[in-house]
């Protein structure tokens, strides 16, 4: 069973940085395409980034150039480094596994098979 536990969220000022971590069960990061999606109150779920088992990545346009997804298979951990944060990045961020439709489709549709409880990111102006 896939288990995902996010951490690292918090409150920052615009322009700041945060790194989200996602602890997973053994072999999850090496076997699954994984990613991050976010959801703000009253808004649709939005895919942020994904990384497949080979390390190829895909980013939503809103994340390109500012966010970096990575993983450490030895630690069974997924990361999302977020720089130059904007108030519009404020949302609950979810770690996810099993990219439905593949790397590109999963980000475009924010469609994953498993996800965690989420960690809140709040960016103030």
């Amino acid at each position: 069973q896939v288990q995902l536990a996010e951490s690292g969220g918090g409150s920052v000022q615009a322009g700041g940085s945060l790194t989200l971590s996602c602890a997973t069960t053994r072999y999850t990061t090496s076997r699954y395409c994984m990613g991050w999606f976010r959801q703000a109150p009253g808004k649709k779920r939005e895919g942020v980034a994904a990384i497949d088992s080979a390390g190829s990545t895909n980013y939503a346009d809103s994340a390109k150039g500012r966010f970096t997804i990575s993983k450490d298979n030895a630690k069974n951990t997924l990361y999302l480094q977020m720089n130059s944060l904007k108030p519009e990045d404020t949302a609950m961020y979810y770690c996810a596994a099993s990219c439905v439709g593949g790397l590109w489709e999963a980000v475009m549709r924010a469609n994953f098979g498993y996800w965690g409880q989420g960690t809140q990111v709040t960016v103030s102006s």
Side-chain angles (χ1 to χ4, degrees):
Q1 183 178 357
V2 175
Q3 294 183 342
L4 308 163
E6 304 93 337
S7 61
S11 298
V12 296
Q13 290 192 324
S17 298
L18 279 175
T19 299
L20 305 183
S21 298
C22 175
T24 74
T25 43
R26 195 176 182 188
Y27 302 127
T28 298
T29 59
S30 58
R31 290 178 176 173
Y32 286 90
C33 172
M34 301 194 67
W36 295 88
F37 65 88
R38 64 189 184 187
Q39 189 163 23
K43 294 190 175 182
K44 286 173 50 179
R45 181 186 293 190
E46 178 187 15
V48 175
I51 183 168
D52 67 14
S53 56
S56 296
T57 58
N58 182 38
Y59 295 90
D61 288 343
S62 59
K64 285 178 182 175
R66 299 188 300 128
F67 294 2
T68 302
I69 188 171
S70 63
K71 61 179 181 172
D72 186 332
N73 291 336
K75 295 182 178 180
N76 302 305
T77 303
L78 179 73
Y79 303 98
L80 184 68
Q81 171 69 43
M82 304 186 293
N83 299 324
S84 302
L85 283 161
K86 305 174 182 179
E88 51 264 43
D89 293 318
T90 295
M92 186 72 79
Y93 282 71
Y94 297 88
C95 170
S98 185
C99 303
V100 177
L103 196 63
W104 303 97
E105 187 81 3
V107 173
M108 184 171 67
R109 300 187 184 279
N111 200 356
F112 299 87
Y114 309 93
W115 54 90
Q117 295 297 311
T119 186
Q120 178 68 38
V121 172
T122 302
V123 185
S124 58
S125 57

